[in-house]
Structures are given as C-alpha cells and as structure tokens.
Amino acid sequence: MNVWAKLKSSGWVYPTTVLSLYGLFANCRVAEPFLTPYLIGPHKNISENVVTNYLFPIWTYSYLVFLLPVFLLTDFLRYKPLIVVQGLFLVTNYVLLCFGPGLPAMTLLQVNYAVVTSTEVAYFSYIYSIIPAENYQKATGYLRSAMLVGYTFGASLGQMLVSLAGLDYFYLNAITLGIVSVAFLISFLLPMPKRSMFFKGEKAVSSQREEKPGDNTLDQQVMDKDGTGSEAEKIERDDSNGCYSRQNVISASHLLWKSFRESYSSKSLIYWSLWWALATAGYVQVFNYIQLMWDHIEPSATASIYNGGVEAACSVVGAAAAFSVGFIKVTWTVWGELALGLFSGVGAGAVFLMAFTSSIWVCYAAYVVFKSCYMFLITITTFQIASNLSMECYALTFGINSFVALSLQTIITAIVVDEAALGLDIVTQFTIYGSYYAAISLLFLLRGAYTACVSRHSARHMEPDGAVISSERF
C-alpha cells in the first residue's frame, strides 16, 4: 500500500503507469490477426465477398461519423470518461465476436469497433493534460512502448496458440475478451484531469482577455466588484466540476481557431500534414483488407496461416525503423519531403507485389516492408509537426489530419470497396492501393526535389549572415 500511495503522490509516474498498463492490455488482442478467418469460417459463416464489400465498409463510415464529435467530447469531458468508454466497447466488441449470431451481430460489431477506434485520441491526449510538460517525452515513450509490447505479445501468443496448440479461433476471442476486460477495469484507476486543453473554463476566459490591451482579467473584474475572490473561486469550483458557461465555450472556440491557424501556418507544415493524411488513408485500407488478401492467396481453411507471426514481426521491424529515426543525422527540412516520396515509392512497390504474387510468403514479406516504411515515415512526420507546435496545436493537428485521412479513406471505400458502387475484388483493390501510393510518391518526389534544389541554390549563393558568395567555392 505504501508503494501505491507513493505512486499516486509522484505527480506523473502514477497516471503514466496506469495508462501504460491500460494500453498494454487493451492492445493485447490475441484474436485480432485472425479476424477474417474467424468471420468467413464455420463460426460466423459469412462469405468473403460480404465481408469485403459490405461488412468492413460499415466500420469506415461509422468511424467517420464518430471521429469529430468524439474528438471534441474528449477534451470537453477531460479524457478519462472516453478512455473508460473505449474499454467498455472493447469488451462489448469481443462479447459480440464470441456470442453474437449471424450477420446482424457482425454489422453491429463494426459500429461498435468504430467507437473503439474513434476514442483512441483520448488515450494519446490524456497524459498531456495531467502531467508536467517536462515529462511529456518520457511519458509518450512509455505509452507507445506499452502499446507496441501489448500488440506484439498478443499477436505472438495468438500465433503460438494456433500453430502449436491448434486452438480454435473461438477460444482466441474468449482469451482476448478476458484480457480487454482487465484493461476496462484498469481504466477506472486513472485520475481525473483537472484541466482540458481547450475547454479551460475560467483560466481560458482569463487568458483570452489578457490578450486584449486595456481589458481586465476575469479575476480583476471580480475583485473590483466586491473586493474578494469569492466569485472567481466559485468559477474555479464550477470548472473543476466540469461545468462550462457560454463564455467558456466561446473562449474554447477562439482557442481552437487560434490553434488551427498556428498548426497550418507554414507551407512545410501543410506538406507534412498532407502526407500524413494521404498516406494514412492508404495504409489503413491495406491494413484493413490484408487478411482478405492472405486468404485469397492461401485459403485459411486449407492451410496453416501465420497472420499473428507476421503482425508481430511487423511490430518489431516497424518499431526498429521508427526508433532509427532518432539516430539519422539528416536535415529533414531539406531532405524530408524527398524521403517521403522515396519510401512511399517503396511502399507502393510492396503493395503491387502483394496484389500480383501467388506466394503467401512473398506477400507476407511485402506487407512487412510496407508497414515498416509507413511507421518510419509517420515517425518523421510526427516529429517534424510536433517540434514546431505547442501541445494544444499538436493535439488539434492530430485530430484534423486523422479526420482528413478518414474522409479520404471513406471516399476510397465508397467507390472501390462498397458493393453499392464498384465492389471490386481484393486483387483489383490492392492494385488501386498500389497506384494510390505511387501517386503519393510521385507528388512528394517532385516536391522534395524542388525543395532540395531551392535549398542548395540558396546555400551556394548565401553566407550564413546573408552575404552573397561565389558558387565556385563549392
């Protein structure tokens, strides 16, 4: 008990520890790499075409509907309630998978899972509202490591249970139900943040008024009125109880608009955000439908499958690629866009290889390459954006970029996948995804070459202090 009390009083260690444990258990989804074989197998008996062209698109549409309101509610309700909701819906997700009969239950499952994914923003933002700024870097590292360990362990365990123990997919889902139930219980141990990033109550109103010359702050106005701080204290108490006045909401709107302008204040930030949105839309499409591609190349009913092992390998290799970013000495402002174009091209080649190969092992390897390239580039992009913005602006940028990516993904799904439109087969879909990534690669190769040429031209003609020099020195 003394250790627990010390953790609680440590300021940042306790919430970081609890949230890391939550992330570990919430992402330890043993059954996730085997979702498609489970749905099209004897347990649910849903055809591959229905899963591809009807069932999976429902998640995309639902996710788009939930994302924006959940993003605003996350800050308004101060993060913890949304994390608890995510834990609850994770539990419901696997209850449906274990015991929900037929297509209607699996349709509800897709809507249910959209709530889970839309509340991820609460997991990533919670820690910044409750710990000191000097601990942001450490806490972020612990949280992402916990997610990675949970996902890798879950995928590896699932593969071992299938390959070595011959366990039925139903029991994988039952085990996962138990694990995510632990995550749901852990979420209640999180302390409730005392502030939000945008809906800051009295402090937000005060800070906004301080920006206007000649205006008194809210506290000063109250003191001028009755000579005491009682009214200001009342507002603070109301704020701590989650009560927001109309003025608070207006203030939050102004702060959101100010953060938006700062987030997209330069061309370089816009281009980094553009790649984030474009590439993430394509990545999520490949991630969502890769199990159907694997099943197309080598049907799970007739052969052993290694989906869990491949996903575990992707996590380890992708994490190593992301970790290597910190040790690469490159001027990303000059060469970053060229790197985005180059590695996006590698990713496009990997997707084309997945589409046209008849070897499951080649498809596995191409998927590892594709996912590693994405994790490498998204790490660079995240760092470049976050290093130039305040935490409030970064949170908003994360939300907006995710919303744009999801909107693009929804358009692709509605045209390419949905049975109400083209309803294309899985090979044709991956051919289109490869072409999509090739277009991203070409765009950023051209933009990156232009940026590098302009930078080199400036360096050849300008000294650091701005003096013009001869290009012969170079």
Side-chain angles (χ1 to χ4, degrees), residues 354-416:
M354 290 181 236
F356 297 121
T357 186
S358 59
S359 169
I360 189 63
W361 292 103
V362 172
C363 190
Y364 283 155
Y367 179 66
V368 172
V369 171
F370 170 77
K371 196 167 183 178
S372 300
C373 285
Y374 174 79
M375 292 182 73
F376 176 72
L377 294 178
I378 198 66
T379 302
I380 298 172
T381 303
T382 301
F383 171 75
Q384 287 298 310
I385 292 175
S387 62
N388 291 286
L389 297 173
S390 64
M391 189 52 61
E392 289 87 348
C393 292
Y394 173 68
L396 181 64
T397 305
F398 174 84
I400 292 174
N401 290 350
S402 297
F403 182 76
V404 174
L406 184 57
S407 300
L408 290 170
Q409 183 195 342
T410 303
I411 293 171
I412 295 171
T413 300
I415 297 173
V416 175

Side-chain angles (χ1 to χ4, degrees), residues 9 11 43 67 97 141 175 181 183 189 226 230 281 291 314 321 325 354 363 376 390-391 416 458:
S9 62
H43 291 287
L67 182 61
L97 276 171
I175 291 170
S181 297
L189 300 177
D226 58 11
S230 58
Q291 291 186 32
C314 282
V325 171
M354 290 181 236
C363 190
F376 176 72
S390 64
M391 189 52 61
V416 175
S458 300

